[in-house]
Amino acid sequence: MDKKPFYITTPIYYPSGDPHIGTCYTTVACDSIARYKRLQGYDVMFLTGTDEHGLKIEQKAAKEGITPKEYVDNIVAIFKKLWGFMNISYDRYIRTTDDYHIATVQKIFKELYDKGYIYKGEYKGKYCTPCESFWTDSQLDEDGRCPECHREVTQASEEAYFLKLSPFADRIEKLLTETDYLQPANRAAELVNNFIKPGLDDLCVSRTTFKWGIPVTFDEKHVVYVWVDALTNYISAMGFYNNKYDDYGKYWPADVHMVAKDIMRFHAIIWPAILMALEQPLPKHLVVHGWISYNGQKMSKSLGNVVDPFILGERYGADAIRYHILREMALGADSSFSNEIMINRINSDLANGLGNLVSRTVTMAEKYFGGTLPTEREAADVDSELIAEAEALRANVDGYMDKYQLNNALAEIFKLVSRANKYIDETEPWVLGKDPAKKARLASVLYNLLESIRIATTLLSCFMPSTMPKVWEQIGAAESDVTYENAGKFGVLPLDVTVHRGEMLFPRIDVDKEIDELNALIGANAPAEEPKTEVQPVLPQIGIEEFAKCDLRVAKVLACERVKRAKKLLCLQLDDGTGGRQVVSGIAQWYKPEDLIGKKIIVVANLKPVVLCGVESNGMICAADTPDGAASVIFPDQSLPCGSKIR
Ligand code: MSP
């Protein structure tokens, strides 16, 4: 029987700097999904690649005195090395400088022009070079800067081609609000309210101010806008309008495009519009994840907090890094990377949890039976709960994988690991081992443990591909035992299975020593000096009883939106432990609603209500002044319950 196709893509990366742990996330997540689908028996096409055109690249290359192609070649080599190091099992790697891709983009541009969707006009507007995005005046932030990166924009006026988006507005709105295209679905509102409802402006899709792009065939002084060039990769890599590949009929429409939230708009609006104009089917799902920050700060080179996956991978193994970032990030929410949390997780889940389970089980099988279990068995009531959990695991993990909730899938697998460790404590095999009459019972206990390990690690191998084969070696599982089919069954290993004790899978890490060493490594990249700020004099003293009158507490942001006609204000709905609370805060210049939704913040809960721009505010969000005059919201420990008092 022919296998069912499954096509998954990462964004194609800008080769404009070294990849960091944040850039790894999507690729590691897609790789785990691709591996899971392969395990399930799908014919998987997993595509990744690099987005190599644009002014930014042209400028960087010029600065280094090399050609743009030489520049991207160098960085693409680093990306490929990283993907090898992280065990990324991509099936195809596309570079937008590849000839076949260029041919496809040119044909698509011409077709859309011939159909009247692309027309020539004059572009007058604001352009953000780092984001390679055009913005209308109404989209700029409070200071007239780019709404994405808040950097300077330049006024640009030139002859340009435009793509009509308005003919597709209704269909796109329906796609976002009435289908399961966008996941998580709650992101649809911001797209509809910010972009579709105000009216979809035509998109400027060509540039004449730089050369490093794909020329428009019928007007060679223009190059194609980098986003039209980039989005096309998803179909050019399957052979759409080129002779390099012939898989378009088989794999398109893609099952999943996975992207981070900052590039959702391009994939949720512009890409569907292009496909609609081409009369091609739309991808099935757009899965949008949040951002990984570093200890709550945005990862950036200038802050010296870019976490290097090579350094971490060499210290703890690529699998441990993969596990940590996948386990940490809930789909749709942001997550904060911290060395301390990562090391503690490696110790608790991998060293104490899985590693210990495997090593205790295998060691006991060797100690009591010389490595090969006898075939006699004796069941007991306590076995049934473990067996039932092991048998249910595959279906539970399937459920989460179908919803792309990788963190929950991993949590399920590790629940079984914990359950099996608890089973060791319940059954006390070291006591059974002393009693010759309990041999059959001991064999049952060890067999049940080996089976639980087999099932958990079969599924886990999609997330941690290099370690699990080492476990199988130790528990005596053959390749045919660790299939998807057998992950749904208990009792697959032969009764007289032979184990082989091997190396320790995840050595325990000395947390303090390791943190010091990592901080020293990161410190080496950090800016030399602590940032300075204008320090205000300390206010006159107050008594503790006066301070006690302030009700400061932890609250969770349940919802957040911009206040209409007030560029500085956000309106937040909070859970402060006593119920709902609405607060208006003047932080819209520095935070987008999605930066805050789901986060815990600190609120002054007993301020008298005020009305700001027509909206009632019941409290104030605590934020610190930054040296450059911005506000930095204070995020407390995110595990604190809502309502926790600050004292
Ligand atoms: N070239 C475009 C994508 C074109 S797709 C047709 C691009 N490239 S990028 O290199 O800037 O980013 C690639 C992906 O990495 C994006 O989804 C981006 O959001 C993601 N990430 C970059 N830093 C990240 C974190 N710190 N955390 C999570 N994802 C992050 O955008």
Side-chain angles (χ1 to χ4, degrees), residues 621-640:
I621 309 296
C622 291
D625 289 336
T626 69
D628 54 5
S632 173
V633 171
I634 309 293
F635 296 107
D637 180 338
Q638 296 292 301
S639 62
L640 286 167

Side-chain angles (χ1 to χ4, degrees), residues 495-507:
L495 286 179
D496 60 349
V497 59
T498 301
V499 303
H500 310 274
R501 191 135 56 107
E503 60 179 287
M504 209 197 276
L505 298 168
F506 303 100

Side-chain angles (χ1 to χ4, degrees), residues 49 58 144 175 178 182 284 292 316-317 326 372 392 434 442 447 451 485 487 516 550 576 585 601 608 643:
E58 193 177 86
L175 176 75
E178 293 174 18
L182 186 64
K284 292 179 203 155
I292 303 185
Y316 316 116
L326 294 175
T372 302
K434 286 189 194 133
L442 179 59
Y447 184 80
E451 274 295 280
E485 199 196 334
D516 286 349
C550 293
D576 67 3
S585 177
I601 47 88
K608 288 190 181 133

Side-chain angles (χ1 to χ4, degrees), residues 13 76 148 217 365 492 509 542 564:
Y13 294 85
V76 167
E148 294 282 348
T217 45
V492 168
I509 304 170
I542 55 168
K564 287 199 186 75

Side-chain angles (χ1 to χ4, degrees), residues 10-16 20-23 25-26 51 56 79 227 230-234 258-263 267 289-293 299 329:
T10 72
I12 48 172
Y13 294 85
Y14 287 128
S16 58
H20 52 70
I21 209 83
T23 24
Y25 178 80
T26 325
D51 179 5
K56 223 189 319 179
F79 269 94
W227 269 102
L231 289 162
T232 302
N233 93 88
Y234 300 130
M258 187 178 275
V259 301
K261 61 184 186 179
D262 58 320
I263 58 170
H267 288 80
H289 63 77
W291 266 59
I292 303 185
S293 56
M299 278 192 201
M329 174 106 87

